[in-house]
Amino acid sequence: GGVGARRARAREQGRLMLGEAGIGRLGQRLLARLHQITYLRYIGASALALAADMGLFLLLLAGGWHAAAASAISYSAGIAVHWPISTRLVFVAGARTQGVERARQKALFLGSALAGLGITVGIVWIGDAFGLDPRLAKLAAIAISFQTTYVLRKTIVFARG
């Protein structure tokens, strides 16, 4: 199956999950509408990637790693989590499934991730250099990196056409 088949499966899975939750018709319609909003799906995907990122970041800090290095390693783990979710749940309609277009899209995704990585490491490094708690610097970096990568992915990486 191509993109259409994946989209149909996702809709059906959504209906099954909504029906099992017993939330009523209005709740089902609301959740179905929310699922249609790319930005909200991106927030969900980013939350999962962020859990991997922050979990590893905190572990590395506790292990004595330099804040900027810990930030780079943990952000990379988040990237590995984000790619499959982005292509399967967030930007399904714009995801390429094979060949040169798929390879090009992976390269563009990696480019957007490197932009986010640069932002994150730079902010954490600067914050640390000025004596800011690295966890607070990381939170600031997350806010800026999130918006930057969303725009890049929506308008370039997964643009339809």
Side-chain angles (χ1 to χ4, degrees), residues 10-41 89:
R11 276 195 302 272
E12 184 58 29
Q13 287 172 344
R15 278 198 281 284
L16 291 174
M17 289 188 304
L18 291 174
E20 292 169 2
I23 58 174
R25 285 186 183 272
L26 179 60
Q28 287 178 5
R29 283 195 302 258
L30 178 61
L31 285 176
R33 179 65 187 128
L34 290 175
H35 177 73
Q36 293 173 351
I37 300 171
T38 302
Y39 191 71
L40 293 178
R41 291 193 315 268
L89 298 173

Side-chain angles (χ1 to χ4, degrees), residues 39-158:
Y39 191 71
L40 293 178
R41 291 193 315 268
Y42 189 79
I43 289 171
S46 295
L48 293 173
L50 179 61
D53 178 356
M54 282 301 288
L56 184 55
F57 179 70
L58 294 173
L59 282 173
L60 293 174
L61 283 180
W65 283 59
H66 185 273
S71 179
I73 297 295
S74 67
Y75 189 91
S76 298
I79 292 167
V81 170
H82 217 295
W83 167 255
I85 297 169
S86 290
T87 58
R88 290 175 178 86
L89 298 173
V90 179
F91 299 107
V92 178
R96 307 297 182 252
T97 58
Q98 58 189 353
V100 174
E101 286 299 311
R102 177 76 167 178
R104 180 181 174 280
Q105 194 165 57
K106 283 182 179 180
L108 288 171
F109 186 89
L110 183 58
S112 70
L114 290 174
L117 176 63
I119 290 167
T120 299
V121 171
I123 291 172
V124 171
W125 182 78
I126 290 168
D128 191 44
F130 282 98
L132 185 64
D133 183 323
R135 294 168 294 198
L136 293 177
K138 177 80 170 171
L139 290 175
I142 289 166
I144 296 167
S145 175
F146 173 84
Q147 292 301 328
T148 302
T149 57
Y150 176 76
V151 169
L152 290 171
R153 291 170 184 168
K154 175 114 173 112
T155 61
I156 297 171
V157 178
F158 296 105

